[in-house]
């Protein structure tokens, strides 16, 4: 499946694997670039989450939402917890 999805054959993979085995520094350079790129992406996502965390609303998937609505009182789907009842001391 992976070969088909990427338009290569097992032979293509073997040739590529052999090439990078013979040129490990190229492979290391590629992997560093990938890690750098993913780190930058993660940092951007983390910053957006941090910036907008108070405006996010999380809703359960439709099947759970339906189940929750029928078995629980109507509550806001915000990230802040519902106000718990107060108990006398």
């Amino acid at each position: 499946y992976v070969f088909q999805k990427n338009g290569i054959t097992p032979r293509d993979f073997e040739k590529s694997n052999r090439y990078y085995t013979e040129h490990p520094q190229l492979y290391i350079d590629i992997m560093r670039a990938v890690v750098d790129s993913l780190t930058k992406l993660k940092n951007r996502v983390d910053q957006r989450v941090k910036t907008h965390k108070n405006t996010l609303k999380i809703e359960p998937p439709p099947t759970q939402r339906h189940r929750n609505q029928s078995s629980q009182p109507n509550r806001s789907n915000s990230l802040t917890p519902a106000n718990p009842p107060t108990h006398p001391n």
Side-chain angles (χ1 to χ4, degrees):
Y1 171 78
V2 174
F3 294 145
Q4 263 184 338
K5 182 179 176 184
N6 292 288
I8 64 170
T9 66
R11 177 81 176 128
D12 294 332
F13 176 78
E14 289 171 18
K15 286 170 50 177
S16 177
N17 197 39
R18 187 176 319 117
Y19 177 82
Y20 287 108
T21 299
E22 295 169 358
H23 302 90
Q25 190 58 50
L26 289 175
Y27 183 77
I28 291 168
D29 293 344
I30 290 169
M31 293 309 294
R32 281 189 180 137
V34 169
V35 169
D36 288 347
S37 177
L38 291 174
T39 299
K40 288 176 185 173
L41 177 61
K42 180 188 180 303
N43 290 340
R44 285 197 317 259
V45 169
D46 288 347
Q47 185 60 43
R48 284 186 180 182
V49 168
K50 183 178 178 182
T51 301
H52 299 291
K53 73 178 180 181
N54 294 328
T55 61
L56 291 176
K57 290 189 177 184
I58 298 178
E59 295 185 18
T63 54
Q64 287 183 350
R65 188 170 42 232
H66 181 271
R67 190 174 334 131
N68 289 345
Q69 287 174 350
S70 63
S71 64
Q72 296 180 356
N74 189 10
R75 292 186 180 160
S76 169
N77 287 327
S78 69
L79 291 175
T80 57
N83 294 331
T86 56
H87 297 287
N89 291 340

Coordinates of all heavy atoms in Angstrom, one line a residue:
Y1 N 0.8 -1.2 0.0 CA 0.0 0.0 0.0 C 0.9 1.3 0.0 O 0.6 2.2 -0.7 CB -1.0 0.0 1.2 CG -1.7 1.3 1.4 CD1 -2.8 1.6 0.6 CD2 -1.3 2.2 2.4 CE1 -3.4 2.8 0.8 CE2 -1.9 3.4 2.6 CZ -3.0 3.7 1.8 OH -3.7 4.9 1.9
V2 N 1.9 1.3 0.8 CA 2.7 2.5 0.9 C 3.4 2.8 -0.4 O 3.5 3.9 -0.9 CB 3.8 2.4 2.1 CG1 4.7 3.5 2.1 CG2 3.1 2.3 3.4
F3 N 3.9 1.7 -1.0 CA 4.6 1.9 -2.3 C 3.6 2.4 -3.4 O 3.9 3.4 -4.1 CB 5.2 0.6 -2.8 CG 6.3 0.1 -2.0 CD1 6.5 -1.3 -1.7 CD2 7.2 0.9 -1.3 CE1 7.5 -1.8 -1.0 CE2 8.3 0.4 -0.6 CZ 8.4 -0.9 -0.4
Q4 N 2.4 1.8 -3.4 CA 1.4 2.2 -4.4 C 1.0 3.7 -4.2 O 0.9 4.5 -5.1 CB 0.1 1.4 -4.3 CG 0.0 0.3 -5.2 CD -1.3 -0.5 -5.0 OE1 -1.9 -0.4 -4.0 NE2 -1.7 -1.2 -6.1
K5 N 0.8 4.0 -2.9 CA 0.3 5.4 -2.6 C 1.4 6.4 -3.0 O 1.0 7.5 -3.4 CB 0.1 5.5 -1.1 CG -0.4 6.8 -0.6 CD -0.6 6.8 0.9 CE -1.0 8.2 1.4 NZ -1.1 8.3 2.8
N6 N 2.6 6.1 -3.0 CA 3.7 7.0 -3.3 C 4.3 6.8 -4.7 O 5.2 7.5 -5.1 CB 4.8 6.9 -2.3 CG 4.3 7.5 -0.9 OD1 4.2 8.7 -0.8 ND2 4.1 6.6 0.0
G7 N 3.7 5.9 -5.5 CA 4.1 5.7 -6.9 C 5.5 5.1 -7.0 O 6.2 5.5 -8.0
I8 N 5.9 4.2 -6.1 CA 7.2 3.6 -6.3 C 7.0 2.1 -6.2 O 5.9 1.6 -5.8 CB 8.2 4.0 -5.2 CG1 7.7 3.6 -3.8 CG2 8.4 5.5 -5.3 CD1 8.8 3.8 -2.7
T9 N 8.0 1.4 -6.6 CA 8.0 -0.1 -6.5 C 8.9 -0.5 -5.4 O 9.8 0.3 -4.9 CB 8.6 -0.7 -7.8 OG1 9.9 -0.3 -8.0 CG2 7.7 -0.2 -9.0
P10 N 8.8 -1.8 -4.9 CA 9.8 -2.3 -3.9 C 11.2 -2.1 -4.4 O 12.1 -1.8 -3.6 CB 9.4 -3.7 -3.8 CG 7.9 -3.8 -4.1 CD 7.8 -2.7 -5.2
R11 N 11.5 -2.3 -5.7 CA 12.8 -2.1 -6.2 C 13.3 -0.7 -6.1 O 14.4 -0.4 -5.7 CB 12.8 -2.5 -7.7 CG 14.1 -2.3 -8.4 CD 15.1 -3.5 -8.1 NE 16.3 -3.3 -8.9 CZ 17.5 -3.3 -8.4 NH1 17.7 -3.5 -7.1 NH2 18.5 -3.1 -9.1
D12 N 12.4 0.3 -6.3 CA 12.8 1.7 -6.1 C 13.2 2.0 -4.7 O 14.1 2.6 -4.4 CB 11.6 2.6 -6.5 CG 11.2 2.6 -7.9 OD1 12.1 2.4 -8.8 OD2 10.0 2.9 -8.2
F13 N 12.4 1.4 -3.8 CA 12.7 1.6 -2.3 C 14.1 1.0 -2.0 O 14.9 1.6 -1.3 CB 11.6 0.9 -1.5 CG 11.9 1.0 0.0 CD1 11.7 2.2 0.7 CD2 12.4 -0.1 0.7 CE1 12.0 2.3 2.0 CE2 12.7 0.0 2.0 CZ 12.5 1.2 2.7
E14 N 14.3 -0.2 -2.5 CA 15.6 -0.9 -2.3 C 16.8 0.0 -2.8 O 17.8 0.1 -2.1 CB 15.6 -2.3 -2.9 CG 14.7 -3.3 -2.2 CD 14.7 -4.6 -3.1 OE1 15.5 -4.8 -3.9 OE2 13.7 -5.3 -2.8
K15 N 16.6 0.5 -4.0 CA 17.7 1.4 -4.5 C 17.9 2.6 -3.7 O 19.0 3.0 -3.4 CB 17.3 1.7 -6.0 CG 17.5 0.6 -7.0 CD 16.9 0.9 -8.3 CE 17.4 2.2 -8.9 NZ 16.8 2.4 -10.3
S16 N 16.8 3.2 -3.3 CA 16.9 4.4 -2.5 C 17.6 4.1 -1.1 O 18.4 4.8 -0.6 CB 15.5 5.1 -2.2 OG 15.6 6.2 -1.4
N17 N 17.1 3.0 -0.5 CA 17.7 2.6 0.8 C 19.2 2.3 0.7 O 19.9 2.7 1.5 CB 16.9 1.4 1.3 CG 17.1 1.2 2.7 OD1 17.2 2.1 3.5 ND2 17.2 -0.1 3.1
R18 N 19.6 1.7 -0.4 CA 21.0 1.4 -0.6 C 21.8 2.7 -0.8 O 22.9 2.8 -0.2 CB 21.2 0.5 -1.8 CG 22.6 0.0 -2.0 CD 22.8 -1.0 -3.2 NE 21.7 -2.0 -3.3 CZ 20.9 -2.0 -4.3 NH1 21.0 -1.2 -5.4 NH2 19.9 -3.0 -4.4
Y19 N 21.2 3.6 -1.5 CA 21.9 4.9 -1.8 C 22.2 5.6 -0.5 O 23.3 6.1 -0.2 CB 21.1 5.8 -2.7 CG 21.7 7.1 -2.9 CD1 22.7 7.3 -3.9 CD2 21.3 8.2 -2.2 CE1 23.3 8.5 -4.1 CE2 21.9 9.5 -2.4 CZ 22.9 9.6 -3.3 OH 23.4 10.8 -3.5
Y20 N 21.1 5.7 0.4 CA 21.3 6.5 1.6 C 22.1 5.7 2.6 O 22.8 6.3 3.5 CB 20.0 6.9 2.2 CG 19.4 8.0 1.4 CD1 18.3 7.8 0.6 CD2 19.9 9.3 1.5 CE1 17.8 8.9 -0.2 CE2 19.4 10.3 0.7 CZ 18.3 10.1 -0.1 OH 17.9 11.2 -0.8
T21 N 22.2 4.4 2.5 CA 23.1 3.6 3.3 C 24.6 3.9 3.0 O 25.4 4.0 3.8 CB 22.9 2.1 3.1 OG1 21.5 1.8 3.5 CG2 23.8 1.2 4.0
E22 N 24.8 4.1 1.7 CA 26.1 4.5 1.2 C 26.5 6.0 1.4 O 27.6 6.4 1.4 CB 26.3 4.1 -0.3 CG 26.2 2.6 -0.5 CD 26.1 2.3 -2.0 OE1 26.0 3.2 -2.8 OE2 26.0 1.1 -2.3
H23 N 25.5 6.8 1.7 CA 25.6 8.3 1.9 C 24.9 8.7 3.1 O 23.9 9.5 3.0 CB 25.1 9.0 0.6 CG 25.8 8.6 -0.6 ND1 25.3 7.6 -1.4 CD2 26.9 9.1 -1.2 CE1 26.1 7.5 -2.5 NE2 27.1 8.4 -2.4
P24 N 25.3 8.2 4.3 CA 24.5 8.5 5.5 C 24.4 10.0 5.9 O 23.4 10.4 6.4 CB 25.3 7.7 6.6 CG 26.7 7.5 6.1 CD 26.5 7.4 4.6
Q25 N 25.4 10.8 5.5 CA 25.4 12.2 5.9 C 24.2 12.9 5.1 O 23.5 13.8 5.7 CB 26.7 12.9 5.6 CG 26.7 14.3 6.1 CD 26.5 14.4 7.6 OE1 27.2 13.7 8.4 NE2 25.6 15.2 8.1
L26 N 23.9 12.5 3.9 CA 22.8 13.0 3.2 C 21.5 12.7 3.9 O 20.6 13.5 4.0 CB 22.7 12.5 1.7 CG 23.8 13.0 0.8 CD1 23.7 12.3 -0.5 CD2 23.7 14.5 0.6
Y27 N 21.4 11.4 4.4 CA 20.2 11.0 5.1 C 20.1 11.8 6.4 O 19.0 12.3 6.7 CB 20.3 9.5 5.4 CG 19.1 9.0 6.1 CD1 17.9 8.7 5.4 CD2 19.1 8.7 7.5 CE1 16.8 8.3 6.0 CE2 18.0 8.2 8.1 CZ 16.8 8.0 7.4 OH 15.7 7.5 8.0
I28 N 21.2 12.0 7.1 CA 21.1 12.8 8.3 C 20.7 14.2 8.1 O 19.9 14.8 8.8 CB 22.5 12.8 9.0 CG1 22.8 11.4 9.6 CG2 22.6 13.8 10.1 CD1 24.2 11.1 10.0
D29 N 21.2 14.8 7.0 CA 20.8 16.2 6.6 C 19.3 16.3 6.3 O 18.7 17.2 6.7 CB 21.6 16.7 5.4 CG 23.1 16.8 5.7 OD1 23.5 16.9 6.9 OD2 23.9 16.9 4.7
I30 N 18.8 15.3 5.6 CA 17.4 15.3 5.3 C 16.6 15.2 6.6 O 15.6 15.9 6.8 CB 17.0 14.1 4.3 CG1 17.6 14.4 2.9 CG2 15.5 13.9 4.2 CD1 17.6 13.3 2.0
M31 N 17.0 14.3 7.5 CA 16.2 14.1 8.7 C 16.3 15.3 9.6 O 15.3 15.7 10.2 CB 16.8 12.9 9.5 CG 16.5 11.5 8.7 SD 14.8 11.3 8.2 CE 14.0 11.2 9.8
R32 N 17.4 16.0 9.6 CA 17.5 17.3 10.4 C 16.5 18.3 9.8 O 15.9 19.0 10.5 CB 18.9 17.8 10.4 CG 19.8 17.1 11.3 CD 21.2 17.8 11.5 NE 22.0 17.0 12.4 CZ 23.3 16.8 12.2 NH1 23.9 17.2 11.2 NH2 23.9 16.1 13.1
A33 N 16.5 18.4 8.5 CA 15.6 19.4 7.9 C 14.1 19.0 8.2 O 13.3 19.9 8.4 CB 15.8 19.4 6.3
V34 N 13.8 17.7 8.2 CA 12.4 17.3 8.5 C 12.1 17.7 9.9 O 11.0 18.2 10.3 CB 12.2 15.8 8.2 CG1 10.9 15.3 8.8 CG2 12.3 15.5 6.7
V35 N 13.0 17.3 10.9 CA 12.8 17.6 12.3 C 12.6 19.2 12.5 O 11.7 19.6 13.2 CB 13.9 17.1 13.2 CG1 13.8 17.6 14.6 CG2 13.9 15.5 13.2
D36 N 13.5 20.0 11.8 CA 13.4 21.4 11.9 C 12.0 21.9 11.4 O 11.4 22.7 12.1 CB 14.5 22.1 11.2 CG 15.9 21.9 11.8 OD1 16.0 21.5 13.0 OD2 16.9 22.2 11.1
S37 N 11.6 21.4 10.3 CA 10.3 21.8 9.7 C 9.2 21.4 10.7 O 8.3 22.2 10.9 CB 10.2 21.1 8.4 OG 8.9 21.5 7.8
L38 N 9.2 20.2 11.2 CA 8.1 19.8 12.1 C 8.1 20.6 13.4 O 7.1 20.9 14.0 CB 8.2 18.3 12.4 CG 7.9 17.4 11.2 CD1 8.2 15.9 11.5 CD2 6.5 17.6 10.7
T39 N 9.3 20.9 13.9 CA 9.4 21.7 15.1 C 8.8 23.1 14.9 O 8.1 23.6 15.8 CB 10.9 21.8 15.6 OG1 11.4 20.5 15.8 CG2 11.0 22.6 16.8
K40 N 9.1 23.7 13.8 CA 8.6 25.0 13.5 C 7.0 25.0 13.4 O 6.3 25.8 13.9 CB 9.2 25.6 12.2 CG 10.6 26.0 12.3 CD 11.2 26.5 11.0 CE 12.7 26.8 11.2 NZ 13.3 27.1 9.9
L41 N 6.5 23.9 12.7 CA 5.1 23.7 12.6 C 4.5 23.5 14.0 O 3.5 24.2 14.3 CB 4.8 22.5 11.7 CG 3.3 22.2 11.5 CD1 2.6 23.3 10.9 CD2 3.2 20.9 10.7
K42 N 5.1 22.7 14.8 CA 4.5 22.5 16.2 C 4.5 23.8 16.9 O 3.6 24.1 17.6 CB 5.4 21.4 16.9 CG 4.9 21.2 18.3 CD 5.8 20.3 19.0 CE 5.3 20.0 20.4 NZ 5.1 21.2 21.3
N43 N 5.6 24.6 16.8 CA 5.6 25.8 17.6 C 4.5 26.8 17.1 O 3.9 27.5 17.9 CB 7.0 26.5 17.4 CG 8.1 25.7 18.2 OD1 7.8 25.0 19.1 ND2 9.3 25.9 17.8
R44 N 4.3 26.8 15.8 CA 3.2 27.7 15.3 C 1.8 27.2 15.8 O 1.0 28.0 16.3 CB 3.2 27.7 13.8 CG 4.3 28.5 13.2 CD 4.1 28.9 11.7 NE 3.6 27.8 10.9 CZ 4.3 27.1 10.1 NH1 5.6 27.4 9.9 NH2 3.8 26.2 9.3
V45 N 1.6 25.9 15.8 CA 0.3 25.4 16.3 C 0.2 25.6 17.8 O -0.8 26.1 18.3 CB 0.2 23.9 16.0 CG1 -0.9 23.2 16.8 CG2 0.1 23.6 14.5
D46 N 1.3 25.4 18.6 CA 1.3 25.7 20.0 C 0.9 27.1 20.3 O 0.2 27.5 21.2 CB 2.6 25.3 20.7 CG 2.8 23.8 20.8 OD1 1.9 23.0 20.6 OD2 4.0 23.4 21.1
Q47 N 1.5 28.1 19.5 CA 1.3 29.5 19.7 C -0.2 29.8 19.4 O -0.8 30.6 20.2 CB 2.2 30.3 18.9 CG 2.1 31.8 19.1 CD 2.4 32.2 20.5 OE1 3.3 31.7 21.1 NE2 1.6 33.1 21.1
R48 N -0.7 29.2 18.4 CA -2.1 29.5 18.1 C -3.1 29.0 19.2 O -4.0 29.6 19.5 CB -2.5 28.9 16.7 CG -2.0 29.7 15.6 CD -2.5 29.1 14.3 NE -2.0 29.9 13.2 CZ -2.3 29.7 11.9 NH1 -3.1 28.7 11.6 NH2 -1.8 30.4 11.0
V49 N -2.7 27.8 19.7 CA -3.6 27.2 20.7 C -3.5 28.1 22.0 O -4.5 28.4 22.6 CB -3.1 25.8 21.1 CG1 -3.7 25.3 22.4 CG2 -3.5 24.9 19.9
K50 N -2.3 28.6 22.3 CA -2.1 29.4 23.5 C -2.8 30.7 23.3 O -3.5 31.2 24.2 CB -0.6 29.7 23.6 CG -0.2 30.5 24.9 CD 1.3 30.7 25.0 CE 1.6 31.6 26.2 NZ 3.1 31.8 26.3
T51 N -2.8 31.3 22.1 CA -3.4 32.6 21.8 C -4.9 32.5 21.9 O -5.6 33.3 22.4 CB -3.0 33.1 20.4 OG1 -1.6 33.3 20.4 CG2 -3.7 34.4 20.1
H52 N -5.4 31.3 21.4 CA -6.9 31.2 21.3 C -7.5 30.2 22.2 O -8.7 29.9 22.1 CB -7.2 30.8 19.8 CG -6.8 31.8 18.8 ND1 -7.4 33.0 18.7 CD2 -5.8 31.7 17.9 CE1 -6.8 33.7 17.7 NE2 -5.8 32.9 17.2
K53 N -6.8 29.8 23.2 CA -7.3 28.7 24.1 C -8.6 29.1 24.8 O -9.4 28.3 25.1 CB -6.3 28.3 25.1 CG -6.0 29.2 26.2 CD -5.0 28.7 27.2 CE -4.7 29.7 28.3 NZ -3.7 29.1 29.2
N54 N -8.7 30.4 25.1 CA -10.0 30.8 25.8 C -11.2 31.0 24.9 O -12.3 31.1 25.3 CB -9.7 32.2 26.5 CG -8.7 32.0 27.6 OD1 -8.7 31.0 28.3 ND2 -8.0 33.1 27.9
T55 N -10.9 30.9 23.6 CA -12.0 31.0 22.6 C -12.4 29.6 22.0 O -13.4 29.6 21.3 CB -11.7 32.0 21.5 OG1 -10.6 31.5 20.8 CG2 -11.4 33.4 22.0
L56 N -11.6 28.6 22.3 CA -11.9 27.3 21.7 C -13.1 26.7 22.4 O -13.3 26.8 23.6 CB -10.7 26.3 21.9 CG -9.5 26.7 21.1 CD1 -8.4 25.7 21.5 CD2 -9.8 26.6 19.7
K57 N -13.9 26.0 21.6 CA -15.0 25.2 22.2 C -14.9 23.8 21.6 O -14.6 23.6 20.5 CB -16.4 25.8 21.7 CG -16.7 27.1 22.4 CD -18.1 27.5 22.1 CE -18.4 28.8 22.9 NZ -19.7 29.2 22.8
I58 N -15.0 22.9 22.5 CA -14.9 21.5 22.1 C -16.2 20.8 22.3 O -16.8 20.9 23.3 CB -13.8 20.8 23.0 CG1 -12.5 21.4 22.8 CG2 -13.8 19.3 22.7 CD1 -11.4 20.8 23.7
E59 N -16.6 20.2 21.2 CA -17.9 19.5 21.2 C -17.6 18.1 20.9 O -16.7 17.7 20.1 CB -18.8 20.1 20.1 CG -19.2 21.5 20.3 CD -20.3 22.0 19.3 OE1 -20.9 21.1 18.6 OE2 -20.4 23.2 19.2
P60 N -18.3 17.2 21.6 CA -18.1 15.8 21.3 C -18.6 15.4 19.9 O -19.4 16.2 19.3 CB -19.0 15.1 22.4 CG -20.0 16.1 22.8 CD -19.3 17.4 22.6
P61 N -18.1 14.3 19.4 CA -18.6 13.9 18.1 C -20.2 13.7 18.1 O -20.7 13.6 19.2 CB -18.0 12.5 17.8 CG -16.8 12.5 18.8 CD -17.2 13.4 19.9
P62 N -20.8 13.8 16.9 CA -22.3 13.8 16.9 C -22.9 12.6 17.7 O -23.9 12.8 18.4 CB -22.6 13.7 15.4 CG -21.4 14.3 14.7 CD -20.2 14.0 15.6
T63 N -22.3 11.4 17.6 CA -23.0 10.3 18.3 C -22.9 10.5 19.8 O -23.8 10.2 20.5 CB -22.3 9.0 17.9 OG1 -20.9 9.1 18.2 CG2 -22.5 8.6 16.5
Q64 N -21.8 11.0 20.3 CA -21.7 11.3 21.7 C -22.5 12.5 22.2 O -23.1 12.5 23.2 CB -20.2 11.5 22.1 CG -19.4 10.3 22.1 CD -17.9 10.6 22.6 OE1 -17.5 11.7 22.7 NE2 -17.2 9.5 22.8
R65 N -22.6 13.5 21.3 CA -23.3 14.7 21.6 C -24.8 14.3 21.8 O -25.4 14.7 22.8 CB -23.2 15.7 20.5 CG -23.8 17.0 20.8 CD -23.5 18.1 19.9 NE -23.5 17.7 18.5 CZ -22.5 17.9 17.6 NH1 -21.4 18.5 18.0 NH2 -22.6 17.5 16.4
H66 N -25.3 13.4 20.9 CA -26.7 13.0 21.0 C -26.9 12.2 22.3 O -27.8 12.4 23.1 CB -27.1 12.1 19.8 CG -28.5 11.6 19.9 ND1 -28.8 10.4 20.5 CD2 -29.6 12.2 19.4 CE1 -30.1 10.3 20.4 NE2 -30.6 11.3 19.7
R67 N -26.0 11.3 22.6 CA -26.1 10.5 23.9 C -26.0 11.4 25.1 O -26.7 11.3 26.0 CB -24.9 9.5 23.9 CG -25.1 8.5 25.0 CD -24.0 7.4 24.9 NE -23.5 7.1 23.6 CZ -22.2 7.0 23.3 NH1 -21.3 7.1 24.3 NH2 -21.8 6.8 22.1
N68 N -25.0 12.4 25.1 CA -24.9 13.3 26.2 C -26.1 14.2 26.4 O -26.5 14.4 27.6 CB -23.6 14.2 26.0 CG -22.3 13.4 26.2 OD1 -22.3 12.3 26.6 ND2 -21.2 14.0 25.7
Q69 N -26.7 14.6 25.4 CA -27.9 15.5 25.5 C -29.0 14.8 26.1 O -29.8 15.4 26.9 CB -28.3 16.1 24.2 CG -27.3 17.1 23.7 CD -27.6 17.6 22.3 OE1 -28.4 17.0 21.6 NE2 -26.9 18.6 21.8
S70 N -29.2 13.5 25.9 CA -30.3 12.8 26.4 C -30.1 12.3 27.8 O -31.1 12.1 28.5 CB -30.7 11.6 25.5 OG -29.6 10.7 25.5
S71 N -28.8 12.2 28.3 CA -28.6 11.7 29.6 C -28.1 12.7 30.6 O -28.0 12.4 31.8 CB -27.6 10.5 29.5 OG -26.4 11.0 29.1
Q72 N -27.7 13.9 30.2 CA -27.2 14.9 31.1 C -27.9 16.2 30.9 O -28.5 16.5 29.8 CB -25.7 15.1 30.8 CG -24.9 13.9 31.0 CD -23.4 14.2 30.7 OE1 -23.0 15.3 30.3 NE2 -22.5 13.2 31.0
P73 N -27.9 17.0 31.9 CA -28.5 18.4 31.8 C -27.8 19.2 30.7 O -26.6 18.9 30.4 CB -28.3 19.0 33.2 CG -27.5 18.1 34.0 CD -27.3 16.8 33.2
N74 N -28.5 20.1 30.2 CA -27.9 21.0 29.1 C -26.8 21.8 29.7 O -27.0 22.6 30.6 CB -29.0 21.8 28.6 CG -28.5 22.6 27.3 OD1 -27.5 22.3 26.8 ND2 -29.3 23.5 26.9
R75 N -25.6 21.7 29.2 CA -24.4 22.4 29.7 C -23.7 23.0 28.5 O -23.8 22.5 27.4 CB -23.5 21.5 30.5 CG -24.0 21.1 31.8 CD -23.0 20.3 32.5 NE -23.5 19.9 33.8 CZ -23.0 18.9 34.5 NH1 -21.9 18.3 34.1 NH2 -23.5 18.5 35.6
S76 N -23.0 24.1 28.8 CA -22.2 24.7 27.7 C -21.1 23.7 27.3 O -20.6 23.0 28.2 CB -21.6 26.0 28.3 OG -20.6 26.4 27.4
N77 N -20.7 23.7 26.1 CA -19.6 22.9 25.6 C -18.2 23.6 25.6 O -17.3 23.2 24.9 CB -19.9 22.4 24.2 CG -20.9 21.4 24.2 OD1 -21.1 20.6 25.1 ND2 -21.7 21.4 23.1
S78 N -18.1 24.6 26.5 CA -16.8 25.3 26.5 C -15.8 24.5 27.3 O -16.1 23.6 28.0 CB -17.0 26.7 27.2 OG -17.3 26.5 28.5
L79 N -14.6 25.0 27.3 CA -13.5 24.3 28.0 C -13.6 24.5 29.5 O -13.0 23.8 30.2 CB -12.2 24.8 27.5 CG -11.8 24.3 26.0 CD1 -10.5 25.0 25.6 CD2 -11.7 22.9 25.9
T80 N -14.3 25.5 29.9 CA -14.4 25.8 31.3 C -15.4 24.8 31.9 O -16.5 24.5 31.4 CB -14.9 27.2 31.6 OG1 -16.1 27.5 31.0 CG2 -13.9 28.2 31.2
P81 N -15.1 24.3 33.1 CA -16.0 23.3 33.7 C -17.3 23.9 34.1 O -17.3 25.1 34.5 CB -15.2 22.8 34.9 CG -14.2 23.8 35.2 CD -13.9 24.5 33.9
A82 N -18.4 23.2 34.2 CA -19.6 23.7 34.7 C -19.5 24.0 36.2 O -18.7 23.4 36.9 CB -20.7 22.6 34.5
N83 N -20.3 24.9 36.6 CA -20.2 25.3 38.0 C -20.8 24.2 38.9 O -22.0 23.8 38.7 CB -21.0 26.6 38.3 CG -20.4 27.8 37.6 OD1 -19.2 27.8 37.4 ND2 -21.2 28.8 37.3
P84 N -20.0 23.6 39.7 CA -20.5 22.5 40.6 C -21.4 23.0 41.6 O -21.3 24.2 42.0 CB -19.2 21.9 41.2 CG -18.2 23.0 41.1 CD -18.6 23.8 40.0
P85 N -22.4 22.2 42.1 CA -23.3 22.7 43.2 C -22.5 23.0 44.4 O -21.5 22.3 44.7 CB -24.3 21.6 43.3 CG -23.6 20.4 42.7 CD -22.6 20.9 41.7
T86 N -22.9 24.0 45.2 CA -22.2 24.2 46.4 C -22.8 23.4 47.5 O -24.0 23.2 47.5 CB -22.3 25.7 46.8 OG1 -23.6 26.1 46.8 CG2 -21.5 26.6 45.8
H87 N -22.0 23.0 48.5 CA -22.5 22.1 49.6 C -22.3 22.9 50.9 O -21.2 23.5 51.1 CB -21.7 20.8 49.6 CG -21.9 20.0 48.4 ND1 -23.0 19.3 48.2 CD2 -21.1 19.7 47.4 CE1 -22.9 18.6 47.0 NE2 -21.7 18.9 46.5
P88 N -23.3 22.9 51.7 CA -23.1 23.6 53.0 C -22.1 22.9 53.9 O -21.9 21.7 53.8 CB -24.5 23.5 53.7 CG -25.3 22.5 52.9 CD -24.6 22.3 51.6
N89 N -21.4 23.6 54.7 CA -20.3 23.0 55.5 C -20.9 22.3 56.7 O -21.7 22.5 57.3 CB -19.3 24.1 56.0 CG -18.5 24.6 54.8 OD1 -18.4 24.0 53.8 ND2 -18.0 25.8 55.0

